Amino acid sequence: MTSIGVRRTLKDVAELAGVSPMTASRALRGIGTVAPELAQRVRAAAAALHYVPDPAARALASAHSRSVIVLVPSLANAVFIDLLEAAQAVLAPAGYQVLIGSTHYSRDEEEELLRTYLAHRPSGMLVTGFERSEAARRLIEDSAVPCVFMMELTDAPGVHCVGLSQEAAGEAVTAHLLATGARRVGYVAAQLDARTLQRAEGYRRALRATGCYDPALELLSPARSSLRLGGELFLEFLERHPDIDALFFCNDDLAQGGLLEALRHGIRIPERVRVAGFNDLDGAGCSVPRLTTVRTPRALIGELAATMALALMRGERVGRTAVDVGFELIVRESA
Amino acid sequence: MTSIGVRRTLKDVAELAGVSPMTASRALRGIGTVAPELAQRVRAAAAALHYVPDPAARALASAHSRSVIVLVPSLANAVFIDLLEAAQAVLAPAGYQVLIGSTHYSRDEEEELLRTYLAHRPSGMLVTGFERSEAARRLIEDSAVPCVFMMELTDAPGVHCVGLSQEAAGEAVTAHLLATGARRVGYVAAQLDARTLQRAEGYRRALRATGCYDPALELLSPARSSLRLGGELFLEFLERHPDIDALFFCNDDLAQGGLLEALRHGIRIPERVRVAGFNDLDGAGCSVPRLTTVRTPRALIGELAATMALALMRGERVGRTAVDVGFELIVRESA
DNA sequence: TTGTACGCGTTATCAA
DNA sequence: TTGATAACGCGTACAA
């Protein structure tokens, strides 16, 4: 029934309800003390006119848009989609629009995104990890917009974060491989973001503790993570280090790529080489053999981070600024 | 160096450049006729002050935000991420911000997203397919915002779309299976969106043409697509129809899940059953055996759709309103 | 509890 | 070619 270009404004709603625009505004926002009867009339009028507040006018008048920036390194990685979906599930019902940004693992792109998005005067922001350019750090700091850091943890006071110790998780995986008898354990990684390197640290710590550490057994590729790359690195590793008895891949994609190449070449897993991944993505339970990995509670991280941001946006002080969601070693068939 | 809360406005820039705000506005937008020397001074002033235009004020004054809505059914599907990334790669350099929305394959959610996003007065919009609620259709229509439909094609005049014939692609896959000797060909699908059903139509057409069509060989599950589900449906299908000699899965995820269960149960592919997927996702070339599938040029669709939207937004009339990007049958080892 | 006046930062419009 | 003025639609601050 609505014809083209009909834009209802607060004034229209107010007139229909027989009140001033200001009262209508208050009623619709559920603010202050508006007589219940009036509020009801305003809501009815708004509904009748299909009134939708103009976010631009709102932002301009109040100096705040009802939006929350969420920055992740990539959309091609299920880990970050889980984060996004969970955050959105919290923020949307609270009336906030989520502005999704992918940095493509680039500091420059993150900086650019921050500059662009901050111009919208968001009410809050969720970003991934702590590794970023100095300029980006300052943009966040100076904007004074409540910010929650996801995935990793820090002790720094006043910094709000929800995540897990990537190093501890990496150590746990390696410890498991050692506990099942492995002695020559390799680490295969790609993308090489901060978390991947933190897992490497955990890997080293576990090996050093048992005197098994050998720097030659680390294969770090800056290339983008993929099944294909995992397969290539797997074969390369076996060729270079035939004495290997376990491989810890920094993520499930690489690990599954390795498992597939193993199948293709008749390399028996875990008999010949134990294989472990990281993240416990959907497919980990379906591979042949099923993948031993670490379950990272991504959805929980997104949910708690969004909830924490919401609290900060309301001006509340949150008690626990660093929330450790932990991780869970999932032992399946591959190691 | 910038201190907290310093917001530069057009007025600041204008003062520094020694011109009126209006001239500064024009100079920065590269509009109308501003003396080259003045324009240069304004740009310098803007740069010096790190001036960033306020998008809210802009949208309010001009009744248009420099944003483009892009709606996809899911972020968990690499197909749509490819679409998004490609569109963004075109729109961002053109100065448009992309508002990403996931409908979760829900008509209601799409309607809700449209209502929310349209309030921002976007300059353009990209949506997926043609299947949506009547209300959503009207929201798009009445908004008068240039809209390009992605993934599917239509002959309807005045409708701008970039995609491929899902039916023709489904037919091509099935024809290939038949050409390699299969006679009892099954179709396994999940999610059951419009495109999945269009592929089913193509499948039927190919089978009818050779007199091999048997409605009992269609297994349609409304559940979400996943590797696990693919494996389950594969085993279920083989048990119900032991005489089957080929299976066409509506997407690569399901197909790969099937391949993995086949491996686990020692069912030889393609000897026992030929298997084909759809989309040619990253992993298709890595599976065991490598997956025969159809390559859909998603990135190209996103790119062309965004380019077309850009043209429409500039008020240009585009010659070809329906762009068929085609598809390519990728024959590997599984069929 | 309700309403009035004003301003948010920008662009459209018109005049010079 | 440039500038003054008036919106855009809403919320803040204050008055009633």
Side-chain angles (χ1 to χ4, degrees):
Chain A
M1 267 320 92
T2 51
S3 51
I4 296 185
V6 174
R7 292 270 176 185
R8 303 314 196 152
T9 72
L10 196 55
K11 207 176 123 208
D12 299 323
V13 175
E15 281 176 5
L16 182 57
V19 299
S20 76
M22 206 49 242
T23 302
S25 171
R26 286 194 269 250
L28 292 178
R29 283 179 296 154
I31 267 184
T33 43
V34 177
E37 185 220 354
L38 278 193
Q40 180 50 41
R41 243 164 54 205
V42 170
R43 278 190 296 269
L49 297 178
H50 296 103
Y51 170 71
V52 180
D54 183 326
R58 227 172 214 202
L60 192 54
S62 70
H64 281 295
S65 70
R66 291 193 66 84
S67 64
V68 174
I69 306 177
V70 183
L71 261 33
V72 295
S74 163
L75 295 179
N77 188 330
V79 167
F80 302 117
I81 300 300
D82 291 344
L83 229 49
L84 276 176
E85 294 281 8
Q88 195 139 23
V90 170
L91 295 169
Y96 290 92
Q97 183 186 154
V98 172
L99 296 182
I100 299 173
S102 165
T103 69
H104 301 102
Y105 289 101
S106 150
R107 291 172 177 234
D108 288 348
E109 279 199 54
E110 184 180 46
E111 214 178 295
E112 183 64 21
L113 282 173
L114 282 172
R115 237 180 277 279
T116 307
Y117 281 147
L118 247 16
H120 286 79
R121 303 176 185 267
S123 295
M125 57 194 302
L126 269 46
V127 300
T128 306
F130 298 107
E131 185 199 29
R132 51 182 45 81
S133 73
E134 184 54 31
R137 223 183 298 279
R138 285 255 290 288
L139 280 170
I140 294 175
E141 183 81 22
D142 292 357
S143 73
V145 173
C147 179
V148 178
F149 299 82
M150 303 184 290
M151 297 302 289
E152 303 172 34
L153 294 173
T154 179
D155 294 334
V159 176
H160 297 85
C161 55
V162 181
L164 57 102
S165 168
Q166 304 279 338
E167 186 173 338
E171 186 177 10
V173 173
T174 313
H176 167 74
L177 295 173
L178 288 167
T180 57
R183 282 301 167 266
R184 297 285 289 165
V185 181
Y187 181 65
V188 179
Q191 194 62 67
L192 306 186
D193 62 9
R195 290 165 293 288
T196 287
L197 299 178
Q198 287 157 22
R199 285 168 212 156
E201 266 312 317
Y203 153 85
R204 289 178 198 126
R205 194 159 66 185
L207 287 180
R208 287 204 186 99
T210 48
C212 294
Y213 181 56
D214 177 354
L217 298 187
E218 292 183 11
L219 182 50
L220 307 180
S221 161
R224 187 177 60 82
S225 234
S226 71
L227 281 182
R228 171 184 301 275
L229 181 64
E232 288 169 5
L233 295 179
F234 174 77
L235 294 180
E236 180 182 337
F237 207 107
L238 273 194
E239 182 161 358
R240 274 210 254 166
H241 304 283
D243 64 330
I244 208 78
D245 51 23
L247 270 183
F248 172 21
F249 287 88
C250 78
N251 66 44
D252 283 3
D253 284 323
L254 290 177
Q256 286 175 340
L259 292 184
L260 288 169
E261 280 315 298
L263 271 175
R264 217 182 309 276
H265 290 77
I267 300 168
R268 292 176 58 87
I269 310 288
E271 293 79 2
R272 169 68 185 82
V273 196
R274 295 166 175 79
V275 169
F278 199 96
N279 275 329
D280 194 32
L281 297 189
D282 258 13
C286 298
S287 61
V288 178
R290 299 182 201 281
L291 186 64
T292 289
T293 186
V294 167
R295 179 170 300 157
T296 50
R298 284 104 48 190
L300 184 60
I301 293 177
E303 182 192 332
L304 294 181
T307 305
M308 189 182 282
L310 233 33
L312 294 172
M313 285 151 53
R314 281 194 285 260
E316 300 170 11
R317 220 173 266 157
V318 309
R320 190 181 303 280
T321 60
V323 176
D324 187 348
V325 296
F327 58 86
E328 184 187 356
L329 185 68
I330 306 289
V331 179
R332 296 203 180 90
E333 304 162 352
S334 72
Chain B
M1 265 319 94
T2 52
S3 52
I4 297 185
V6 174
R7 293 270 177 184
R8 302 314 195 152
T9 72
L10 196 56
K11 206 176 125 210
D12 299 324
V13 175
E15 280 174 5
L16 182 56
V19 299
S20 76
M22 205 48 240
T23 301
S25 171
R26 285 195 269 250
L28 292 178
R29 283 180 296 155
I31 266 185
T33 41
V34 177
E37 184 221 356
L38 278 194
Q40 181 48 41
R41 241 163 57 202
V42 170
R43 278 191 296 270
L49 297 178
H50 295 103
Y51 169 72
V52 179
D54 184 324
R58 233 174 208 201
L60 191 55
S62 70
H64 281 295
S65 71
R66 290 191 67 83
S67 64
V68 174
I69 306 177
V70 183
L71 261 33
V72 295
S74 163
L75 295 179
N77 188 330
V79 168
F80 302 118
I81 300 300
D82 291 344
L83 229 49
L84 277 175
E85 294 281 10
Q88 194 140 25
V90 170
L91 296 169
Y96 290 92
Q97 184 185 154
V98 172
L99 295 181
I100 299 173
S102 164
T103 69
H104 302 101
Y105 289 100
S106 152
R107 290 170 178 235
D108 288 349
E109 278 198 56
E110 183 180 46
E111 213 177 297
E112 182 65 22
L113 282 173
L114 282 172
R115 239 180 276 279
T116 308
Y117 281 146
L118 247 16
H120 286 78
R121 303 174 185 268
S123 296
M125 56 194 304
L126 269 45
V127 301
T128 306
F130 298 107
E131 185 198 29
R132 51 181 47 82
S133 73
E134 185 53 32
R137 222 182 300 278
R138 283 257 287 290
L139 281 169
I140 294 175
E141 184 81 23
D142 292 357
S143 73
V145 172
C147 179
V148 178
F149 299 82
M150 303 184 290
M151 297 303 287
E152 303 172 35
L153 294 174
T154 179
D155 294 334
V159 177
H160 297 85
C161 56
V162 181
L164 56 103
S165 168
Q166 304 278 335
E167 186 173 339
E171 186 177 9
V173 173
T174 313
H176 167 74
L177 295 173
L178 289 167
T180 57
R183 283 300 167 267
R184 298 285 289 164
V185 182
Y187 181 65
V188 179
Q191 194 62 66
L192 305 187
D193 60 9
R195 289 164 294 288
T196 287
L197 300 178
Q198 287 158 20
R199 285 167 213 157
E201 265 314 316
Y203 153 85
R204 288 178 199 127
R205 195 158 65 183
L207 288 180
R208 287 203 186 100
T210 49
C212 294
Y213 181 55
D214 177 354
L217 297 188
E218 292 183 11
L219 182 50
L220 307 180
S221 162
R224 187 176 61 81
S225 233
S226 70
L227 282 181
R228 170 185 302 273
L229 181 65
E232 289 169 6
L233 295 179
F234 174 77
L235 294 179
E236 180 183 336
F237 207 108
L238 272 194
E239 181 160 358
R240 275 210 253 167
H241 304 284
D243 64 331
I244 208 79
D245 50 23
L247 270 183
F248 171 21
F249 287 88
C250 77
N251 65 45
D252 283 3
D253 284 324
L254 290 177
Q256 286 174 340
L259 292 184
L260 288 169
E261 280 314 298
L263 273 174
R264 216 183 309 276
H265 290 78
I267 300 168
R268 293 176 58 90
I269 310 288
E271 293 80 1
R272 168 68 185 84
V273 196
R274 295 166 174 78
V275 169
F278 199 96
N279 275 330
D280 193 32
L281 297 188
D282 258 14
C286 298
S287 61
V288 178
R290 301 183 200 279
L291 185 64
T292 289
T293 185
V294 167
R295 179 170 300 158
T296 51
R298 285 106 45 193
L300 184 59
I301 293 176
E303 182 192 333
L304 294 181
T307 305
M308 190 183 283
L310 233 33
L312 294 172
M313 286 151 51
R314 283 193 285 258
E316 301 170 10
R317 217 171 269 157
V318 309
R320 191 182 302 281
T321 60
V323 176
D324 186 348
V325 297
F327 58 86
E328 185 187 357
L329 184 69
I330 305 289
V331 179
R332 296 203 180 88
E333 304 162 351
S334 72

